[in-house]
Amino acid sequence: MNNSKDEDKDTLLGQNRQKLKSSELCSHKAVLLILSENLFGKAFIINKPLITIGRSKECDISLNDPLISSEHCRIENGQDGKYYLEDIGSTNATFLNRKKLKKKMHLLYGDRIVIGNTILRFYLEEEVADG
């Protein structure tokens, strides 16, 4: 039995996919996984060239943590296909693998990011390798 709401949603999703430009898509997606108590297990898929993280609802990833700035940091998928983390003038800094971020840094699989009281892990999309 077809549900008209499901059909409408599928049609809308199809239209939205067509509106995306190839420059808005990443060659490989990445995931941020929250490991801190406040949102343990929540995951965010990074599937566009630039995402902002902060407390503001205007950010791509909005986190309810009083130690996070309105716009705290950003993750960029560079033209080289690599992901980069950059602090954008936050009050309480951004930490990558326990070191305070002072400049834009290349992210690697499993990197630990701390902003405020929130701990995140960075993971890249993987493909099944033939055995």
Side-chain angles (χ1 to χ4, degrees):
M1 183 169 113
N2 287 340
N3 184 337
S4 64
K5 285 183 183 179
D6 289 339
E7 289 172 0
D8 290 343
K9 187 177 8 173
D10 289 342
T11 301
L12 183 62
L13 286 172
Q15 290 169 353
N16 286 340
R17 282 189 198 109
Q18 290 174 355
K19 289 179 187 177
L20 290 175
K21 297 176 186 171
S22 61
S23 63
E24 294 176 324
L25 299 174
C26 297
S27 58
H28 286 91
K29 295 181 200 105
V31 173
L32 284 177
L33 179 64
I34 296 182
L35 297 178
S36 53
E37 190 176 351
N38 55 342
L39 290 169
F40 185 80
K42 185 162 178 76
F44 299 94
I45 296 172
I46 302 170
N47 58 1
K48 46 188 228 182
L50 183 68
I51 62 139
T52 55
I53 304 170
R55 217 176 52 251
S56 170
K57 298 293 181 201
E58 302 300 315
C59 291
D60 298 296
I61 298 176
S62 178
L63 299 171
N64 186 17
D65 178 336
L67 295 178
I68 294 177
S69 297
S70 294
E71 291 185 355
H72 198 98
C73 61
R74 64 179 158 221
I75 295 178
E76 177 184 352
N77 183 231
Q79 291 181 348
D80 58 4
K82 297 177 182 177
Y83 284 87
Y84 296 89
L85 176 66
E86 182 177 22
D87 186 272
I88 48 179
S90 68
T91 302
N92 293 315
T94 300
F95 294 85
L96 177 61
N97 299 322
R98 303 189 190 276
K99 293 181 184 172
K100 185 176 179 179
L101 200 62
K102 296 181 181 174
K103 62 180 183 174
K104 186 188 293 190
M105 294 293 292
H106 175 219
L107 286 169
L108 299 172
Y109 188 95
D111 275 349
R112 181 181 193 259
I113 302 166
V114 176
I115 54 175
N117 283 322
T118 304
I119 302 167
L120 304 110
R121 283 276 180 199
F122 176 81
Y123 296 105
L124 289 167
E125 177 181 38
E126 295 183 37
E127 295 179 15
V128 176
D130 291 336

